Amino acid sequence: MKVFMFPGQGAQAIGMGADLFSAYPELTRRADEILGYSIRTLCVEDPRQQLGLTQFTQPALYIVNALTFLRRRDLDGAPALVLGHSLGEYNALHAAGCISFETGLTLVAQRGALMGEASGGGMAAISGLDEAQVQRVLDSEGAIDLDIANLNSPSQIVIAGPRERIAQLRASFERAGARKYVVLHVSAAFHSRYMRPAMAAYRRFAEGHRFATPAVPVIANLTARPYRDEAIVDTLCAQIASPVRWCDSIRYALARGGADFVECGPGIVLTGLYAHIRRNAAPLVLEAEIAPRPDPGLAPRSIPAPAPVAMAPRATGATAPASGLSAATLGSAAFREAYRVRYAYAAASLGHGVSSPELVIRLGNAGLLGYLGTQGLTVEAVETAIRQIQGGLSGGKSYGVSLSPDLEGHRVEDALVNRYLALGVPHVEATSYLQITPALVRFRVQGARRDAKGRAIAARCVLARVAHAEVARAFMSPAPEAILYQLRDQGRLTADEAALARELPLSDDLCAHADTIAGTEPVAGALLLPTMRRLRDQVMADHRYPTPIRVGLSGEIGAPEAAAAAFLLGADFVVTDTINQCTVEAATSERAKDLLQAAGIYDTAYAPELHLFEMGARVRVLKRGALFAARATRLHDLYRHHGSLEELDPRTRESVEARYFKRSLDEVWSGARAGLPADESAAVEHDPRRRMAAVFRQYLRRGAELARTGHPDQTDYLIACGPAMGAFNQWVHGTPLEDWRHRHVDDIATRLMEATAALLSERLQALAA
């Protein structure tokens, strides 16, 4: 079977395509019209030295690849299967008839422009180590800020991340046996999490184009499997910020019968990789990948819709369903024992104190676990709230508080840990972490000891809420050695505590969050939870901890169906979040709760995240009844396309001042500067882009404050909200809980868990029948 391969960025060279442009004059003319410059001049002469710039490289390579394909097709015949490396995937889609030459060029030009705007990142190619070995080095160095970007062959892996971090790891990889460690000459960390802002902007552009069903299979970099008709845009967009699985793509092609591999483009890089893969890796073992499509001539069977799940009555001592399931038996008994709670259930922290002391106390006194939301509060306010919780709970009742990294560098995290240790806080929910910090390690490890059997045990519990496998792995691993040495040398850990830390995972409980967290892209819980469980099993096998790490799910839990699915997938516990802010105990305004009560599952949108504004990180917020999401996104677009506030045209500046801030940007900057630490204020003031970000960030802060206070103008309310809120509203419609004034956090927890047990019992009995 003939397979055509198309190279990506890095294959470009001056002079490429010189014999092709005259052979295909009409396509060359169309390319010039689309791009607005001469493609022949760029490729053959490169008089302005632009060929190496991403925004020029990508369209140039696409055109040369496409013209090469036309020539090879005329000479060798059409391929039976196609694939392309990164950018080359667009040529594969063109070769398969999925997109026209013009559409492909338009898409690639926009992709190149957006990726060309990214900066600050770097990449390195590592030869002589396989994927597992590379990952072990990253883990041992605590380098969770780096991603594997390209899996080019069994022993050639490319990593991506912050440029300075890339430079630091050369010696570590060489000690691990790498033959070569080559820092690549690139402007950004391509195919990594740092490209998500570009991916999000590209999606808005790509969704306006049409894609035909490929005439031959196109192997996707993202999955190393053929494109699916219904997921072309999703796959193309995700490719920008995901690893290129080239080795497995070639292995898949070999398994499908690929024998004649033809490289269509400049150079022979892919030909060399193909030869290496064929020598050193076996074809993939293919399983049934796609269910047979139904014959359109056959009428579908009539399948009755499932009956709606009824609201379970709140009752104490309720009998278990006939299956033996009950709210008190779902999930992990070890979770219930560790936290001394009735159910394998917790209420997540909601920032800025929305998860109030009243909320945590109510749950704790009901035998349930809730976490105080500390993000955005002063250290003094957090201490006051903790003392209120401790005074309001009856003896032995559980509670927890949240802990987040210093995303803005104000050293709050370390001060909070000092207070937590002094006040005897037993449980922490770690959120928004992208890498492990000394403060987090100190909270976990201080006071560690050995039990009667000689096993290392921690004095406090950490539940980590994460959405990425690499972050999950870091939390399930022992603390990084470098941090342990640092804390020991500073006298913040004893030598015994540091030694015990090497036998302990950083978290007892790993919560897979199936929604946006600190700039992540959401992943469905049905995919994320099994992934995290398999990762847990790998880590347990590697470290042989005596007590299994528990894995739960959050982000989707708003109705019994979602909780039931989580437990069926093996969740040890579930965590609710959004739904708890629309309760009597939540510390937000009645106006905000009215909006939340009216929300449906489609009434959310993505908006810039406050602390990671410059990175383009996004969170999900309520869009029904508010313009915050649209306006905050507009501010981030202005930040991306301007170097300073002074570059804004007068009309735009006037509109932003009048509609968004209700005052001048100079006044906004004065307020922002007053909130910065003294040593940071001057540095920000003399950096035009940082000053612009600090000003625009004030809109986000103001939106959160307006929602908490219930300002009459709700246009700019920032209300964190996921679709689970809409699912909950639908579930309780027509019941006493339809009105948020009757919603109490402990009642919600009890009803949700009891209804989940009843639903599971019913469905399991139906399946058995």
Side-chain angles (χ1 to χ4, degrees):
M1 185 172 70
K2 189 181 298 297
V3 179
F4 278 8
M5 308 180 293
F6 299 90
Q9 197 163 343
Q12 71 274 8
I14 295 178
M16 68 179 187
D19 59 334
L20 294 169
F21 301 122
S22 57
Y24 298 93
E26 181 58 26
L27 290 180
T28 302
R29 183 188 64 79
R30 289 185 215 168
D32 290 349
E33 290 176 351
I34 292 170
L35 297 175
Y37 55 82
S38 169
I39 189 63
R40 174 193 289 274
T41 300
L42 173 67
C43 292
V44 177
E45 302 172 13
D46 193 19
R48 299 182 180 179
Q49 297 183 333
Q50 295 173 317
L51 188 57
L53 302 178
T54 296
Q55 60 268 40
F56 291 96
T57 305
Q58 294 197 11
L61 267 175
Y62 171 82
I63 293 166
V64 173
N65 287 352
L67 300 183
T68 304
F69 157 70
L70 295 175
R71 172 173 287 180
R72 296 305 295 262
R73 184 188 63 184
D74 293 342
L75 293 173
D76 301 333
L81 187 149
V82 290
L83 69 164
H85 192 287
S86 187
L87 159 74
E89 195 156 285
Y90 289 78
N91 291 106
L93 290 167
H94 167 235
C98 185
I99 53 176
S100 67
F101 171 83
E102 293 83 356
T103 296
L105 180 54
T106 303
L107 290 166
V108 165
Q110 180 70 6
R111 180 183 189 266
L114 290 169
M115 293 177 71
E117 290 177 359
S119 61
M123 303 177 77
I126 302 157
S127 299
L129 301 179
D130 62 22
E131 180 184 4
Q133 292 171 316
V134 169
Q135 188 62 60
R136 279 198 290 272
V137 174
L138 295 178
D139 291 344
S140 67
E141 295 296 324
I144 62 172
D145 51 345
L146 297 181
D147 292 341
I148 290 179
N150 291 0
L151 296 151
N152 287 333
S153 77
S155 60
Q156 187 191 98
I157 313 293
V158 177
I159 60 174
R163 185 178 296 135
E164 61 279 2
R165 188 71 159 138
I166 291 287
Q168 293 169 359
L169 289 179
R170 178 189 298 275
S172 299
F173 278 103
E174 290 176 347
R175 284 196 300 271
R179 292 195 304 271
K180 289 183 180 179
Y181 185 87
V182 180
V183 177
L184 305 180
H185 297 293
V186 294
S187 60
F190 299 136
H191 294 291
S192 75
R193 75 189 85 163
Y194 302 100
M195 298 306 297
R196 288 186 188 124
M199 178 183 70
Y202 180 74
R203 173 179 287 278
R204 293 192 288 272
F205 180 80
E207 286 175 342
H209 293 77
R210 297 184 63 183
F211 299 84
T213 298
V216 297
V218 180
I219 308 308
N221 291 179
L222 183 71
T223 61
R225 296 295 188 276
Y227 265 81
R228 293 182 291 112
D229 294 354
E230 71 276 13
I232 291 176
V233 172
D234 289 342
T235 305
L236 269 182
C237 294
Q239 184 230 53
I240 293 175
S242 302
V244 174
R245 303 186 181 280
W246 187 252
C247 180
D248 280 353
S249 297
I250 293 294
R251 294 176 64 209
Y252 178 88
L254 289 168
R256 286 286 296 263
D260 183 8
F261 285 73
V262 178
E263 185 166 0
C264 295
I268 56 170
V269 171
L270 297 186
T271 302
L273 286 176
Y274 158 71
H276 181 73
I277 294 166
R278 184 152 195 167
R279 285 195 306 270
N280 296 282
L284 290 179
V285 177
L286 300 183
E287 300 173 355
E289 296 163 343
I290 302 174
R293 298 182 184 226
D295 187 328
L298 297 177
R301 290 189 303 159
S302 176
I303 302 175
V309 179
M311 171 67 69
R314 177 166 183 170
T316 57
T319 59
S323 65
L325 289 175
S326 72
T329 61
L330 294 177
S332 165
F335 181 93
R336 298 191 295 272
E337 180 180 349
Y339 291 97
R340 303 188 307 280
V341 291
R342 292 188 292 130
Y343 303 144
Y345 173 101
S349 63
L350 300 167
H352 301 279
V354 173
S355 290
S356 63
E358 291 79 10
L359 185 151
V360 176
I361 290 169
R362 178 121 187 174
L363 285 166
N365 283 330
L368 301 164
L369 176 63
Y371 290 94
L372 174 73
T374 64
Q375 195 168 26
L377 301 183
T378 65
V379 175
E380 292 72 22
V382 172
E383 179 172 350
T384 299
I386 292 172
R387 292 188 183 278
Q388 181 182 344
I389 292 169
Q390 291 173 334
L393 289 174
S394 55
K397 299 297 185 180
S398 283
Y399 75 95
V401 300
S402 70
L403 184 66
S404 301
D406 286 322
L407 297 177
E408 294 186 58
H410 296 170
R411 297 184 292 276
V412 174
E413 181 195 19
D414 203 54
L416 283 177
V417 167
N418 289 338
R419 301 294 174 96
Y420 294 173
L421 294 173
L423 292 168
V425 170
H427 309 307
V428 147
E429 179 196 39
T431 65
S432 302
Y433 280 89
L434 296 178
Q435 60 184 13
I436 304 305
T437 65
L440 177 66
V441 171
R442 191 157 60 94
F443 177 85
R444 172 64 169 167
V445 174
Q446 267 198 16
R449 59 184 176 82
R450 294 198 184 277
D451 64 10
K453 296 181 178 179
R455 297 175 300 190
I457 57 172
R460 289 164 290 277
C461 293
V462 173
L463 184 151
R465 198 149 53 105
V466 303
H468 272 292
E470 62 268 26
V471 181
R473 183 186 291 274
F475 270 102
M476 290 191 281
S477 301
E481 287 289 331
I483 292 179
L484 292 176
Y485 286 134
Q486 173 189 338
L487 292 173
R488 187 196 61 189
D489 294 345
Q490 293 172 346
R492 300 182 125 193
L493 288 181
T494 67
D496 287 343
E497 288 169 339
L500 289 167
R502 297 181 178 93
E503 303 174 35
L504 291 168
L506 270 171
S507 62
D508 310 275
D509 301 279
L510 195 290
C511 184
H513 189 78
D515 206 335
T516 307
I517 257 187
T520 68
E521 288 298 313
V523 177
L527 301 176
L528 189 61
L529 181 61
T531 297
M532 295 297 190
R533 282 173 53 82
R534 283 191 287 269
L535 179 60
R536 184 271 311 274
D537 294 342
Q538 294 171 10
V539 173
M540 290 295 302
D542 289 342
H543 294 284
R544 299 182 180 180
Y545 301 128
T547 303
I549 298 167
R550 298 174 289 265
V551 179
L553 183 68
S554 69
E556 293 181 345
I557 312 300
E561 292 86 351
F567 286 121
L568 279 175
L569 287 168
D572 292 310
F573 58 94
V574 293
V575 175
T576 55
D577 43 29
T578 293
I579 64 175
N580 297 313
Q581 66 181 320
C582 192
T583 61
V584 174
E585 293 78 26
T588 192
S589 66
E590 292 189 1
R591 288 178 180 270
K593 293 174 186 178
D594 288 339
L595 291 174
L596 287 164
Q597 179 184 309
I601 62 172
Y602 300 110
D603 290 332
T604 66
Y606 289 104
E609 202 274 337
L610 171 63
H611 303 288
L612 298 174
F613 181 86
E614 288 101 325
M615 288 178 57
R618 302 183 305 160
V619 293
R620 211 192 292 254
V621 300
L622 185 68
K623 70 177 179 181
R624 183 187 179 106
L627 294 176
F628 173 83
R631 289 182 170 181
T633 299
R634 170 64 173 153
L635 289 177
H636 189 263
D637 287 342
L638 292 174
Y639 170 78
R640 287 179 55 243
H641 293 101
H642 296 80
S644 68
L645 293 171
E646 289 69 30
E647 288 185 13
L648 300 178
D649 65 83
R651 186 173 180 179
T652 297
R653 183 173 182 130
E654 180 182 349
S655 173
V656 167
E657 290 177 334
R659 298 182 181 180
Y660 294 24
F661 290 103
K662 313 294 192 293
R663 54 182 175 152
S664 72
L665 294 185
D666 291 336
E667 292 175 304
V668 177
W669 164 239
S670 296
R673 181 172 50 193
L676 294 172
D679 58 349
E680 185 179 351
S681 176
V684 174
E685 185 165 15
H686 290 91
D687 186 328
R689 279 187 63 77
R690 290 183 67 189
R691 181 160 56 90
M692 179 167 51
V695 167
F696 289 169
R697 210 182 272 120
Q698 290 296 97
Y699 176 75
L700 279 64
R701 287 196 172 91
R702 177 173 173 269
E705 182 62 26
L706 292 177
R708 285 195 302 275
T709 60
H711 189 279
D713 182 6
Q714 64 191 35
T715 302
D716 296 311
Y717 279 12
L718 190 175
I719 305 173
C721 181
M725 186 77 252
F728 180 84
N729 289 334
Q730 185 184 41
W731 177 50
V732 301
H733 179 71
T735 75
L737 296 193
E738 183 171 0
D739 187 338
W740 67 261
R741 293 163 184 82
H742 299 150
R743 299 180 186 180
H744 295 280
V745 284
D746 57 331
D747 193 24
I748 287 174
T750 299
R751 289 179 184 270
L752 182 61
M753 291 294 284
E754 288 180 352
T756 299
L759 174 63
L760 281 170
S761 179
E762 173 193 332
R763 297 293 165 85
L764 290 173
Q765 290 178 33
L767 285 172

